[in-house]
Every structure is written in C-alpha cells, then in structure tokens.
Amino acid sequence: METAMPPIDHFRAMAVAIKAASAVNEEVPVSAVLYSRDGQVLSISTNNRIGTNDPTGHAEIVALRQGALALKDWRLDGCTLVVTLEPCIMCAGAILASRIETLVFGAYDLREGAGGSVYDLLRDRRLNHTVEVVPGVLESECSQLLSNFFGTKRS
C-alpha cells in the first residue's frame, strides 16, 4: 500500500527559489527548484544564458535537465517545479514534455508568460498533458528581485 506524501508547501518552496535567485550576479535573477513526488529537492538552478552562451539556459530548462539526470528518467511524473518567474513558451514546452505535474511560479511575465498571463500552454486541453499551475506565490518578492536587477542595469 502506497502512503500519500504531504503536499509541498508552496511558500517554503518559493523561499528556496528566491534565495537562489538572490545569489545571481550577471544573469537575470530567475531560479527554479525541482521537487520529486516525495518532496525531495532534485535540482536548484538559475538562468545561465550569459555564462554558457546558451539561448536555452533558462532556469527551468536547467532544472529539468538536472532532475532528469538525478532520476535517470526523462519523465518527471509527479514532480513539482517552482520558479520565480512565469515560464516562457520554450520553458512551458519543456515542462509539458517532461510531464511535470505541478508548476508554482511567483512573478507574472506579462510580455512572454506561457503559464496563464499571455499564453496558457500548460493548461491547454488540446495537448496530451496538462499541468496544475499555482501562480503568484510570493509574487511581490519575486517581482522585486527583477525590478532591482533591471533598475541597477539601467542606472
């Protein structure tokens, strides 16, 4: 008989992501934390596009790659991905392809978001998989990280 695991505390999980994003220097401060179905951290990542010269170096993509390696499986069934910024179309596609169960995000991306603000790919019933989306968790804290970063860049 399988014992049900307690749900992941979205606020605590986002606090871990915010801490990781806060430590970023040159990259846009976005981070992703991937949790296994039993609540264990599989990966913590940040954007690394500049450092790696990789256009796919978004925190979500890096976290999914690391998680798949940790589990030795491309299917991340039952996993939860926690991200400080709403995923873009590319990342939403990777989230769908990896079969993530739940996405938790902080700040909305009103220009490129694919988790419900501009596009809603993750819950599109026409696709073969949908994702539970929990938006706006610690939104103001996540938004402030980005505002501080871009404010510093502009001054």
Side-chain angles (χ1 to χ4, degrees), residues 8-30:
I8 293 170
D9 180 323
H10 296 152
F11 292 96
R12 282 189 180 169
M14 187 60 74
V16 172
I18 290 169
K19 183 177 179 182
S22 297
V24 171
N25 290 320
E26 298 300 316
E27 303 275 353
V28 176
V30 175

Side-chain angles (χ1 to χ4, degrees), residues 17 32 48 51 87 97 142 144 155:
N48 68 9
C142 293
Q144 192 62 52
S155 59

